[in-house]
Amino acid sequence: MSFWRAIAVVAFLVTVPGLLAGEIPSDARRSGYSFMGPETRAIQDDDTSNPGMLFVLDGEALWAKKTGSAGKACADCHGDARNSMKGIAARYPAFDKTLGRPVTLDQRINLCRADHQQATPLPYESRDLLALSAFVAQQSRGVAITAGDDPQAKPFVEQGRNLFMQREGQLNLACTNCHDDNFDKHLAGAPITQAQPTGYPLYRLEWQTLGSLERRLRSCMAGVRAQAYDYGAPELVALELYLMSRARGMPMETPAVRP
Amino acid sequence: MAAALINVPSRAKRGDIIEIRTLTSHIMETGFRHTMDGTLVPRDIITSFTCRYNGTEIFRADLFPAIAANPYLSFFTIAKESGKFEFEWIGDNGYASTASASITVE
C-alpha cells in the first residue's frame, strides 16, 4: 500500500513540474517588440512610417463603403469604429453561440458580410480582409487582451494549449520547445520570441505586406516541416485562441511591425 | 487603392531645416520572380518620385527593382515661405499617384 502510494507520489512529483515547465510567468512576458532592433522599433512607433497604417487607411475607407446585395456598409450598423470597435479585437478569437465554436476576427468580418451585407466572403490574406481587420484591431491599440475569458471558450483554449505543447513535423518540435524554453536565443540570425500575438494583423518586413496570425503560424509549421493547417481550420483557431489567452492582459499593438 | 502617408511639420520658422517623410502603398514587384508554373511575374514598380514646393521641384528620386514594397522616402529642405508641398509617384503600367501637404512659415 505505502509502496504504491510512494510510487504515486513520485509519479505526481515527476509529472507536475514537467507539465508546468516552460510556461512563462506572467510578469516575465514580453511582446515581440522587445526583441526587435531600434530601427525596426522606430518604424512601428511612428504612424507615418509604419506601413501597416496604409492598410488601416484602406480599412477605414472599406468600413464606410456600401457592399453586397443588402447595400449596407459596416458603418451603417456599427457606426463610428473609434467607439464601437474599441477593445473588440482584444477579445478575439471569441466564442460564437450559433456556431458553437470560437471564430477569429477575420471569420467574424466574413460572417457579418454573409449575414448582414449579403456579400461574398473575402478570401483569407486578401488585402481587403487584412485592411478591415487591421482597421478594427487598431481601435484596440493599448487595450489589454482578454481573449479566452469566456467560460464557453475554455475547452478550445485547452485544445490550443495541447497543440502548442504537441511535437510535430519532421523536425519533431512543439511550439513550446522554442517559444517557452528557448526565447531570447537565436535561430540562425533571428531572435526567438515568446510568441505573444499582441500586434496582429502585423506588417512583416520579410513578407513586405500585412499578414494574419494564421499566416505566421503556418510559416512556423512549414519551418518544422509539418503539414500546415488550412486557413480557418479549427486547430489554427484554437491555437490562436490559446496564444491570445497566453498574452492575457498585455496591450494590443496593431498594426505592429516585425522583421 | 493608392494611399500615402505624408509627414510635413504644419508650421516652421523661416530658414528652419525641416524633414519631410513620405510612405506610399505599392507592391514593387521586381520583375525577376517566377510563378509556380515558371512564367515570369512582370515588373511593376514605382520608377520616379518628385516633390514640389510651391511649384518648384526640390527633390526627385529614381526608384529601382531592389527597393522594397511600400517605399518610404525621407529628405530635408529649408522652410522659405508658407505654401504647399506636392508629391508625385510615377510607375509602370501608367501608375500615377499624388498627395499634398501644406505648411505655415512664420
Side-chain angles (χ1 to χ4, degrees):
Chain A
M1 161 80 181
S2 63
F3 171 74
W4 290 111
R5 181 174 289 171
I7 284 188
V9 166
V10 167
F12 183 74
L13 288 177
V14 167
T15 43
V16 165
L19 285 173
L20 297 176
E23 295 216 23
I24 303 166
S26 66
D27 56 347
R29 291 175 309 166
R30 286 157 56 199
S31 155
Y33 179 86
S34 72
F35 293 84
M36 310 198 296
E39 297 85 358
T40 323
R41 289 185 194 197
I43 301 176
Q44 177 174 325
D45 289 342
D46 176 2
D47 273 351
T48 54
S49 71
N50 181 343
M53 289 306 291
L54 294 168
F55 290 79
V56 171
L57 286 179
D58 282 354
E60 191 173 8
L62 288 169
W63 181 263
K65 191 179 154 199
K66 294 191 190 300
T67 185
S69 49
K72 279 203 268 188
C74 308
D76 290 341
C77 291
H78 296 289
D80 186 356
R82 271 161 198 79
N83 305 318
S84 63
M85 290 295 125
K86 190 172 170 61
I88 298 296
R91 60 179 183 81
Y92 269 83
F95 188 81
D96 183 284
K97 285 192 171 57
T98 338
L99 296 172
R101 59 177 170 82
V103 293
T104 63
L105 187 57
D106 288 359
Q107 289 173 324
R108 168 59 64 212
I109 290 170
N110 273 335
L111 282 171
C112 234
R113 284 176 66 85
D115 298 343
H116 304 294
Q117 295 179 306
Q118 266 102 58
T120 48
L122 297 166
Y124 285 105
E125 302 303 301
S126 63
R127 188 175 175 98
D128 283 4
L129 184 58
L130 289 169
L132 267 173
S133 77
F135 174 65
V136 170
Q138 196 238 355
Q139 312 307 323
S140 300
R141 200 190 253 180
V143 174
I145 292 171
T146 54
D149 281 5
D150 183 351
Q152 288 175 288
K154 291 288 180 231
F156 299 95
V157 176
E158 196 50 38
Q159 182 197 359
R161 187 181 177 280
N162 292 338
L163 287 165
F164 191 83
M165 301 295 169
Q166 178 188 298
R167 287 178 183 270
E168 62 170 0
Q170 290 176 326
L171 300 190
N172 201 29
L173 285 169
C175 312
T176 182
N177 296 142
C178 286
H179 298 290
D180 281 336
D181 300 342
N182 285 300
F183 67 82
D184 251 349
K185 293 178 189 162
H186 285 77
L187 199 55
I192 302 175
T193 65
Q194 291 184 349
Q196 311 286 5
T198 50
Y200 285 90
L202 55 74
Y203 193 92
R204 277 199 86 201
L205 302 180
E206 182 195 319
W207 293 337
Q208 300 208 11
T209 181
L210 208 71
S212 69
L213 178 53
E214 296 199 4
R215 178 170 180 186
R216 187 69 197 83
L217 291 172
R218 280 166 54 88
S219 48
C220 249
M221 286 168 190
V224 299
R225 319 279 184 269
Q227 174 75 49
Y229 299 109
D230 289 335
Y231 281 106
E235 291 89 347
L236 268 188
V237 178
L239 258 175
E240 206 169 322
L241 179 59
Y242 167 65
L243 288 176
M244 285 293 275
S245 73
R246 193 165 161 272
R248 190 182 186 284
M250 295 174 77
M252 294 281 292
E253 292 170 42
T254 310
V257 176
R258 296 289 182 266
Chain B
M1 273 177 277
L5 288 166
I6 310 290
N7 191 334
V8 173
S10 54
R11 36 187 71 244
K13 287 206 189 78
R14 196 172 305 274
D16 271 2
I17 296 172
I18 53 166
E19 187 184 14
I20 297 169
R21 298 198 291 259
T22 67
L23 178 70
T24 192
S25 183
H26 199 284
I27 54 166
M28 297 296 279
E29 182 59 57
T30 61
F32 297 120
R33 299 197 304 164
H34 293 83
T35 58
M36 293 288 270
D37 58 10
T39 50
L40 194 68
V41 181
R43 193 184 87 163
D44 183 9
I45 64 167
I46 293 175
T47 49
S48 161
F49 167 78
T50 333
C51 171
R52 288 189 195 82
Y53 185 10
N54 287 339
T56 318
E57 183 176 304
I58 57 159
F59 183 85
R60 171 188 286 272
D62 289 336
L63 284 82
F64 297 93
I67 293 171
N70 307 317
Y72 170 80
L73 289 167
S74 141
F75 49 94
F76 295 86
T77 191
I78 296 169
K80 285 182 177 158
E81 63 215 30
S82 298
K84 206 168 159 193
F85 287 98
E86 287 168 294
F87 307 94
E88 189 179 29
W89 295 265
I90 292 169
D92 293 334
N93 309 319
Y95 177 85
S97 164
T98 55
S100 65
S102 45
I103 186 170
T104 312
V105 177
E106 291 149 346

